[in-house]
Amino acid sequence: FRAAYDFFDNGISFLRKGHWQRDYNLSLKLFVAAAECAMFIGNAVSLRYLSEQVLSFGNSFEDKLEVLYITISALASVDTHKATEKAISILSKLGEEFSTFYSESDNIKLIEHTKMMLGKYTDESLLNHKLMEDPSKIMAMKFLARLELMTAYTRPSWQPIVTIKMVRISISHGMSPKSPIGFTYYGMLLTKLGDIRDGCRYAKIGRKLLDRPGAKEVAGEVISIGTSVMCFVEPAQCANESHLLAYAAAMSSGDTRNAMMSIVAYGVGLFWAGEKLSVVREKFAKTRRTIEKQNRLFWLSHQIPMERTILILIGADESQLPEQSIHAGSIRFSLTESFHKLYISFMFRQYEPMRASAEDYFSKEDNVWALSTLANTARAFHSGLVAYWLYRKSNDQKWARRALKETVLMKKWAHLNEWNIQNKLYLMEAEEAFSFEDIARAKSLYEKAISSAREHRQDRKLHWFSFWRFTLAFVTLTISFFSDSSMKKPWLTS
């Protein structure tokens, strides 16, 4: 892109005085192309000059749309909230309006309605659907595609609406180069709601739509989001590797934003799939260097909480931990940070810090439409275990309700993925039985958790879950404890 920028810059230098009047079309194409290259190479000064020229001399709103898209894409890496507001404003001018507020019930109704609309289409008919020709809808799809991740971090309740708009426009007006993004995120929405079978179906459709004209440039994002969905049906250690394919695809098209997202997701996946802490630590160190080189510091927001957790588990002191991110104001980042505090206090059996972290985490979790990833299963699992413990200690029914809610969610996910989730579900159900004093059932479920964990580690190509080394030891002690009738169990009557 640097060489391309130099060519376009030289072309601009050859334009004569008054070129916007004499050679308008050539000037517009050169300035827009140069602005796009300036964005990719991080030349903010040139991007500002080039975009201002187009916005000043462009003959129409339509002629300015490409450079508006480029400037919003650049702004998103430094001020996601502002970029989101600008994109929504432009979409309203393109006929795609948003309400001021969407409740969870609103989102679910729209998702179900969209599901019914798509019910009459086979995979083949979607893959061979007509091409989009309306220029205004093609541009609307570009801005909506850019909003997918931005709203996930700035206006979470709007993110499902963005996805639904992309799917509906694709059906009504034809497939655009951005349609694969819409269908892949739609698959993720269905997965969040527990419809994993259809979620995977639409994620696969999104991947296959990459073969349509002009779609290769979004391959990185489509593969990465699709990989997060596939982790709900395939062994996580295998599925997670596709994030590296996403990284390569994104870099090959100059999409450094989604390239950084992919390698961060890969590292997070390694941790939750049970890779050795030393390996994950080294991977994150390498990823940090790559992010800093590409000047995509926003993505450190997602890595830093995990980095801190790994270092604490290894035994690092506070002075060795990375500082919290400058993007800590993000709703989603704040949720992630709260969860890792809860996780650390749980792993080290620190009751009071864990209780405070749980209060904070659950207050935020209610207000976030989470993207469905492997980390979501870990959050449901650990926050559920925490809630069961808090219920046993406090006898407060709100913790029982929290724990049961997370257990129900895990049941939905475990239905199609015994490998990744079944053993965790058995342990949660054992904790449920233990909490409600059904000791015989708890003992049986603890044993099932051990058996399932052992059964799903037989493939030598897969890494053994390092977390389960701790869990199996804990469960074994628990079973022995239950079996010894001479030992007192005071908390059962507390």
Side-chain angles (χ1 to χ4, degrees), residues 261-289:
M261 176 185 74
S262 298
I263 55 172
V264 170
Y266 176 69
V268 172
L270 285 179
F271 179 83
W272 293 121
E275 182 57 271
K276 293 180 180 178
L277 293 179
S278 58
V279 173
V280 184
R281 177 181 61 179
E282 180 54 36
K283 177 59 185 176
F284 275 141
K286 185 177 179 180
T287 298
R288 173 180 283 273
R289 293 191 293 269

Side-chain angles (χ1 to χ4, degrees), residues 115-266:
K115 191 174 181 180
M116 291 177 60
M117 179 191 73
L118 290 171
K120 62 182 179 180
Y121 291 92
T122 64
D123 291 9
E124 184 178 358
S125 62
L126 288 173
L127 295 174
N128 293 299
H129 199 53
K130 64 184 179 180
L131 288 176
M132 191 177 294
E133 296 179 350
D134 185 339
S136 66
K137 294 302 179 184
I138 292 172
M139 285 306 304
M141 288 290 285
K142 292 185 72 169
F143 283 98
L144 287 168
R146 182 57 67 183
L147 271 177
E148 284 282 19
L149 275 179
M150 292 198 300
T151 50
Y153 294 101
T154 58
R155 294 194 179 191
S157 66
W158 286 30
Q159 194 272 328
I161 307 304
V162 173
T163 298
I164 290 169
K165 281 181 176 289
M166 293 193 73
V167 171
R168 291 185 173 184
I169 293 172
S170 297
I171 295 299
S172 300
H173 298 273
M175 297 293 181
S176 85
K178 302 295 184 181
S179 293
I181 292 177
F183 280 92
T184 305
Y185 276 96
Y186 180 66
M188 181 172 276
L189 285 181
L190 295 181
T191 301
K192 173 188 167 51
L193 295 176
D195 188 354
I196 299 176
R197 194 181 303 279
D198 271 354
C200 290
R201 177 196 169 199
Y202 287 106
K204 289 177 180 178
I205 287 172
R207 182 88 173 252
K208 290 178 180 178
L209 284 172
L210 292 175
D211 294 331
R212 299 293 290 267
K216 292 298 184 185
E217 68 178 38
V218 301
E221 185 168 4
V222 169
I223 295 172
S224 186
I225 298 300
T227 296
S228 295
V229 175
M230 297 313 294
C231 281
F232 284 82
V233 295
E234 298 176 358
Q237 299 92 332
C238 293
N240 190 54
E241 295 298 310
S242 290
H243 280 303
L244 297 180
L245 296 178
Y247 169 75
M251 289 299 288
S252 68
S253 63
D255 183 6
T256 55
R257 180 191 70 144
N258 284 301
M260 299 305 103
M261 176 185 74
S262 298
I263 55 172
V264 170
Y266 176 69

Side-chain angles (χ1 to χ4, degrees), residues 98-128:
F98 287 83
S99 298
T100 54
F101 174 77
Y102 294 97
S103 67
E104 183 170 358
S105 62
D106 292 334
N107 286 334
I108 292 175
K109 286 178 183 177
L110 287 169
I111 292 169
E112 291 299 326
H113 185 270
T114 303
K115 191 174 181 180
M116 291 177 60
M117 179 191 73
L118 290 171
K120 62 182 179 180
Y121 291 92
T122 64
D123 291 9
E124 184 178 358
S125 62
L126 288 173
L127 295 174
N128 293 299

Side-chain angles (χ1 to χ4, degrees), residues 394-405:
S394 67
N395 205 31
D396 188 334
Q397 289 297 318
K398 77 174 181 180
W399 296 118
R401 290 192 295 270
R402 289 287 189 184
L404 292 172
K405 178 183 176 182

